[in-house]
Amino acid sequence: MHSETRDGMRIDWDAPIEMSDGLVLRADVFRPIGEGRYPVLMSYGPYGKGLAFQEGYSTAWTIMAAQKPEVLEGSSNKYQQWEVCDPEKWVPHGYVCIRVDSRGAGRSPGVLDCHSLRETEDFRECIEWAGEQPWSSGKVGLSGISYYAMNQWRVAALRPRHLAALMIWEGAVDRYREASRHGGIACSFSKNWLEMQVKPLQHGRGERGARSAVTGELVCGPETVPDEELAKLRVDAWPSLINRPLDDDNYRDRSGLPERIEVPLLSAANWGGQGLHLRGNIEGFLAAGSQRKWLEVHGGTHWVEYYTDYGIGLQRRFFDHFLKGVDNGWDREPPVLLNVRRVDGFVQRAEHEWPLARTRWTRLYLHAEGMALRPEPPTVAATLDYDTMGEGLSFRSAPMAEETEITGPSALRLRLSSRTRDADLFAVLRVFDPAGKELLFYGALDPKTPVGQGWLRASHRKLDAARSTPWRPYHTHDELQPLAPGEPVDLDVEIWPTSVVVPKGWSVALTLLGRDYEHGQDSAALSNMKNPMRGCGPFVHDDADDRPPAVFDTVCTLHLDPADPAWLLLPVVPEAAKEVG
C-alpha cells in the first residue's frame, strides 16, 4: 500500500483487504484530510479501479461531456472512473470513497467469477472491513451504476452489520429474466460484455493492460500471465448460460434477494434501459423488505445522470440523511419520483406507489381489418401469417383525441402458432407522429430506441399464477412446453415499463416480430460495446445455438378470434399529480 495527500484528499493506493479464505483484495481509499470518523461510500467490481473513465470508455466520456458539460465542473476529473462516484465530489463533503477491485480483476488476484456467491461474500467482508477502520464512522453506503448496482441487491441480503444505505443506480436483480434470457431467449450481451469489458481487465494481464494515468501502476497488476493461464483463472459464464435454458440455481445464485434487505435504499431506474437497466430496479424496489425505500426513474444515457448535478444532488440528500443523520427532509419524500417522458423532455413528478393507483388500465384489441388497435374487440375471426425474420405485423391505434400519458408496465395477450416446434415473439411498443414518423428516444445505451419492448419464447409460456398480475405476467421458466406445428397456444407477454406522453393527434402501435427490432436508420456504436446499435442497443438475441434457424426462421400465424380476442394492455394515467420540478 502507498499513501499520499493530494488534491485535497488522503489517498491509500492498493489498500489490502484480507478475505476469510486468505486471499487479499486491493482497494483505493479516498478520505478527507481532517482527522475524524467519516461515513463510507463503497463500490466493488471488475472494471479496474486504476483505469481512467476517459481512457477505458472514451466514446462514453465524450458523449457525457457533450450532453452534460456540468459533470466536468468542480473536479479535476483525474479520478473519474466508469460507473462509480468521483471522489473529488464526495470527499470534500465528508465522505470516504472506496473502490475495490473484485476477485480476479484489476489489482486483486484470484479466480474471476462475475456475480458469483464468492464475490458476494467478498463484498460483505469488504463492507465489514471498511466499517471497522479508524477513519470510519461505522456506516457504509453502497453506490454505483450497473454492475456496481447489481451486486448491491445480493450483498445487502446478507445483512452486513456496517451496511447502512444503498444507492442502486440502473442495475438488475433477476439474473435470468433481466440480464441473461429475456422471456427465455438468450441475450448475447453477456457473451460480448465478458469479451469487451471484463477479460481486458482481468488480474494478470500486466503489461498487456493499461497503466493508471494517476499512479503509473499497471491497472491489472504487476504480473503478466500467459493467456492460457489467465483462462484457467476465469469462469466463462456464457457456456453455462447457453446450456441452461431454464431458470435454476446457477441463475438464482447470481440474483438478488431483495425481500431480505432491511437497510434504506434508493433504486434509480432508466426508462431507456430496455434489456437490462430498468425492470430490476422496479421489481427490486417493490420486493425489498426495507421499510424505508424509494424509487426514482429518469431517462437519457445510461451512465450520465448519475454524474449530473441532479443525480449527485439526489444521492447526497439520501446519503446525508442515512449516513450522517442530517435532518434534510429526505424521510418525508414520497416513495416514488418519476421523470415523466415527453416528446420534448422530461417533467418531474412525485408519486406514492407503483404502479400508479389512478392508472386506467386500457385494453386495445388487435384487429386484422385495417391492422388496427381499437378499444372494442373484433367481430370477425382472422389469421395473419408473418415471416419471423421479416417485418412482422404492426397494429396502430387511431390518432389520440387528447394528450395521453402512458406510464407503467404493459402486457400483451394473443394466440400464436408456428410451423415448427417453437417461436420467439418480440413485442415492440411504438409511437408515431401524424405524418407517420416513429418517435425514437435516447435509450440507456442506444440513441434511437422505441417506447417499450417485451419478449417471450413460446415454449416458456407457463405462468406463475401467484406472482402474475394483469399488467405483469410472470413466467416460471421451469419447464419447456414445445409447440405442435400449426397448433395455436395462448401467450401472455410482459412488456417492460415505460413512460411517454403521447401528443394529441399522434398514435401508438404494436409490432410483433420474430427477431430483434431495428429502426432502419444509421446505427450507433460505443468503444466498449461490440454490436452496432440499431434500436435495441447491445441487448440483442442473435446466438445461433439458442436460436437455430431450423426452428426460429419460420412462419408464424397470429389467430384473432372474437371469442378470445388478442389485446394490448396499456397503463393510461388519466390526470397529472402535482409537479415537483
Side-chain angles (χ1 to χ4, degrees):
M1 181 177 76
H2 167 65
S3 299
E4 62 178 327
T5 299
R6 57 186 295 172
D7 295 318
M9 301 179 288
R10 292 183 179 183
I11 307 175
D12 300 325
W13 304 106
D14 275 348
I17 309 177
E18 185 173 353
M19 298 293 98
S20 55
D21 64 355
L23 185 132
V24 175
L25 302 181
R26 295 291 175 175
D28 290 342
V29 181
F30 304 83
R31 50 197 176 95
I33 293 176
E35 296 295 330
R37 292 180 177 270
Y38 302 94
V40 174
L41 298 183
M42 176 176 278
S43 58
Y44 172 104
Y47 294 150
K49 61 183 177 58
L51 182 64
F53 193 144
Q54 302 92 317
E55 180 181 356
Y57 306 89
S58 58
T59 53
W61 177 265
T62 299
I63 290 169
M64 181 171 70
Q67 289 183 352
K68 300 283 186 175
E70 67 193 61
V71 303
L72 275 61
E73 299 171 0
S75 172
S76 71
N77 298 299
K78 289 187 294 188
Y79 308 96
Q80 286 270 28
Q81 290 176 327
W82 178 244
E83 299 188 331
V84 296
C85 63
D86 179 0
E88 288 188 273
K89 293 189 176 181
W90 286 93
V91 172
H93 291 270
Y95 287 91
V96 175
C97 294
I98 302 178
R99 298 167 171 170
V100 185
D101 274 342
S102 57
R103 181 178 295 242
R107 294 182 66 83
S108 292
V111 175
L112 178 61
D113 188 2
C114 292
H115 302 294
S116 64
L117 293 175
R118 180 67 246 189
E119 268 203 356
T120 304
E121 173 58 23
D122 286 347
F123 199 0
R124 184 193 69 80
E125 293 179 22
C126 290
I127 292 167
E128 303 298 39
W129 174 87
E132 294 165 0
Q133 298 308 299
W135 34 256
S136 171
S137 69
K139 290 188 174 183
V140 178
L142 306 182
S143 179
I145 311 172
S146 193
Y147 197 104
Y148 300 102
M150 294 163 73
N151 58 19
Q152 292 184 46
W153 292 114
R154 297 194 300 275
V155 74
L158 300 182
R159 300 174 180 172
R161 67 184 184 279
H162 289 293
L163 181 61
L166 306 171
M167 174 62 63
I168 307 173
W169 201 280
E170 296 191 39
V173 70
D174 188 321
R175 183 68 193 171
Y176 185 95
R177 291 164 181 79
E178 296 155 13
S180 299
R181 287 185 166 271
H182 300 133
I185 310 168
C187 178
S188 301
F189 173 76
S190 294
K191 175 174 61 178
N192 299 331
W193 166 78
L194 187 72
E195 291 293 324
M196 297 288 291
Q197 290 187 236
V198 178
K199 286 173 63 174
L201 290 165
Q202 184 178 0
H203 180 81
R205 286 185 58 83
E207 293 289 350
R208 297 198 302 275
R211 283 188 179 273
S212 167
V214 178
T215 67
E217 298 289 342
L218 290 166
V219 170
C220 298
E223 290 185 277
T224 302
V225 178
D227 284 339
E228 58 270 21
E229 294 300 317
L230 284 181
K232 297 175 183 177
L233 295 170
R234 180 177 66 243
V235 175
D236 187 349
W238 181 252
S240 63
L241 184 156
I242 205 67
N243 292 321
R244 285 183 165 92
L246 301 178
D247 193 8
D248 61 12
D249 289 344
N250 178 67
Y251 295 104
R252 287 189 283 272
D253 286 348
R254 288 166 166 75
S255 296
L257 292 171
E259 63 274 10
R260 286 187 47 80
I261 296 176
E262 297 178 334
V263 298
L265 65 88
L266 173 56
S267 178
N270 189 324
W271 298 123
Q274 306 284 335
L276 185 59
H277 299 301
L278 171 60
R279 182 186 188 274
N281 280 94
I282 293 174
E283 293 290 319
F285 162 77
L286 293 172
S290 175
Q291 297 302 304
R292 296 171 295 176
K293 57 183 181 179
W294 287 264
L295 172 68
E296 184 270 356
V297 194
H298 53 270
T301 312
H302 165 50
W303 60 91
V304 172
E305 207 63 70
Y306 175 84
Y307 296 97
T308 63
D309 293 345
Y310 165 78
I312 291 178
L314 196 71
Q315 297 164 50
R316 190 167 290 155
R317 285 190 63 218
F318 175 79
F319 281 133
D320 280 355
H321 183 75
F322 289 111
L323 299 187
K324 292 184 174 183
V326 177
D327 184 9
N328 56 14
W330 181 271
D331 55 327
R332 298 183 291 278
E333 286 287 337
V336 177
L337 175 62
L338 304 180
N339 288 274
V340 177
R341 186 163 55 179
R342 304 181 65 91
V343 298
D344 56 354
F346 297 88
V347 175
Q348 285 184 32
R349 198 171 70 214
E351 297 287 353
H352 294 277
E353 70 287 309
W354 181 272
L356 307 187
R358 67 184 184 280
T359 301
R360 187 174 70 232
W361 298 103
T362 302
R363 285 189 183 185
L364 294 179
Y365 294 91
L366 280 61
H367 288 248
E369 183 182 1
M371 299 299 288
L373 292 173
R374 296 174 183 163
E376 69 283 348
T379 58
V380 178
T383 58
L384 297 171
D385 293 341
Y386 66 95
D387 182 344
T388 56
M389 297 299 111
E391 297 305 309
L393 301 173
S394 291
F395 301 83
R396 192 178 300 191
S397 75
M400 295 294 168
E402 58 184 4
E403 183 177 82
T404 303
E405 179 183 334
I406 298 170
T407 295
S410 299
L412 174 64
R413 171 76 178 211
L414 51 75
R415 288 178 62 78
L416 194 75
S417 64
S418 171
R419 294 183 182 176
T420 67
R421 58 181 167 82
D422 214 339
D424 285 346
L425 183 63
F426 296 73
V428 187
L429 188 61
R430 308 166 75 182
V431 171
F432 289 86
D433 71 11
K437 181 180 179 181
E438 183 176 6
L439 176 66
L440 297 173
F441 287 105
Y442 208 114
L445 293 169
D446 195 321
K448 298 175 183 177
T449 61
V451 171
Q453 296 189 70
W455 309 262
L456 183 64
R457 177 159 289 173
S459 59
H460 287 244
R461 62 189 178 276
K462 179 183 174 183
L463 289 171
D464 184 331
R467 301 187 67 171
S468 293
T469 66
W471 53 83
R472 199 288 317 269
Y474 190 93
H475 299 89
T476 62
H477 299 293
D478 62 0
E479 68 171 304
L480 298 179
Q481 298 178 334
L483 303 182
E487 293 293 325
V489 295
D490 291 325
L491 301 181
D492 294 273
V493 185
E494 174 188 4
I495 299 177
W496 285 20
T498 191
S499 178
V500 57
V501 178
V502 183
K504 179 180 178 180
W506 294 43
S507 59
V508 298
L510 172 72
T511 296
L512 306 177
L513 296 160
R515 57 168 177 80
D516 285 304
Y517 164 89
E518 294 186 1
H519 50 56
Q521 303 178 24
D522 292 340
S523 62
L526 287 171
S527 60
N528 57 311
M529 301 290 172
K530 183 177 181 179
N531 299 78
M533 295 184 289
R534 302 184 176 96
C536 297
F539 307 112
V540 296
H541 309 79
D542 60 358
D543 186 84
D545 292 328
D546 182 68
R547 284 171 43 82
V551 177
F552 295 100
D553 185 353
T554 184
V555 173
C556 284
T557 301
L558 176 65
H559 298 258
L560 300 178
D561 184 352
D564 185 15
W567 45 259
L568 170 67
L569 183 70
L570 292 178
V572 175
V573 179
E575 73 279 335
K578 182 180 179 182
E579 295 179 4
V580 298

